[in-house]
Amino acid sequence: MILPLIDTPFLEILIENPFNSRIYPEEGVVLAIVDTGYEGFLMLREDVFKVLRFDELSLEERRLLLPNGNFIVSRGTYGMVKVGDFKCEGFIEASKVDELILGIDFLSNFRITLDYCTNDWKFTNAKCSVV
């Protein structure tokens, strides 16, 4: 379910490290910001990345350009995100961020409708069809 918080869409997710079966959170779900300006799959806080033990895997380092022109360094590996009954795999990275951030690579798997006029947030639990 997408939830609005000060006009910012959030998505309830569960994150899994498929190599050791660790999940975050252990119970329930966690909110992640839906950010169309982020081209990646999922950006985690470093503490969540360590809880899932992604830091123990072979990692790739990336240099990301922020909207303000600054760069940050992230490191990541592949993992899974679960939304409702649907799971998708992608590159999960960590950096010095305060929130969990879902990007375009993740969103490309879904059809999401945001209607700011009515604060109606809908998530379609299906892959997009190519027309």
Side-chain angles (χ1 to χ4, degrees):
M1 168 194 289
I2 291 187
L3 303 171
L5 181 62
I6 313 173
D7 293 332
T8 301
F10 285 75
L11 191 58
E12 294 176 336
I13 66 170
L14 182 72
I15 308 159
E16 181 180 345
N17 181 335
F19 302 104
N20 63 20
S21 301
R22 285 191 162 283
I23 59 169
Y24 181 87
E26 289 183 16
E27 293 183 21
V29 293
V30 65
L31 296 178
I33 294 172
V34 175
D35 184 352
T36 59
Y38 168 51
E39 293 180 2
F41 184 77
L42 175 63
M43 175 74 71
L44 299 177
R45 298 186 320 257
E46 291 177 337
D47 64 318
V48 174
F49 197 78
K50 288 179 182 177
V51 165
L52 289 162
R53 294 189 177 164
F54 282 129
D55 60 326
E56 297 174 5
L57 302 173
S58 178
L59 301 176
E60 181 180 324
E61 193 170 284
R62 296 183 180 185
R63 192 168 169 228
L64 307 173
L65 176 63
L66 300 176
N68 66 5
N70 292 334
F71 286 92
I72 61 170
V73 175
S74 74
R75 57 196 177 97
T77 189
Y78 285 86
M80 296 181 76
V81 173
K82 184 176 180 183
V83 180
D85 294 331
F86 187 78
K87 284 186 179 182
C88 56
E89 299 175 359
F91 189 77
I92 297 177
E93 54 196 322
S95 191
K96 295 180 181 183
V97 294
D98 296 326
E99 298 93 5
L100 282 61
I101 304 168
L102 293 167
I104 294 295
D105 191 30
F106 174 82
L107 296 174
S108 67
N109 294 292
F110 303 98
R111 180 179 316 264
I112 298 175
T113 304
L114 305 175
D115 186 342
Y116 281 93
C117 296
T118 62
N119 282 334
D120 187 19
W121 311 86
K122 293 181 182 172
F123 168 78
T124 303
N125 189 357
K127 289 198 173 211
C128 296
S129 59
V130 179
V131 179

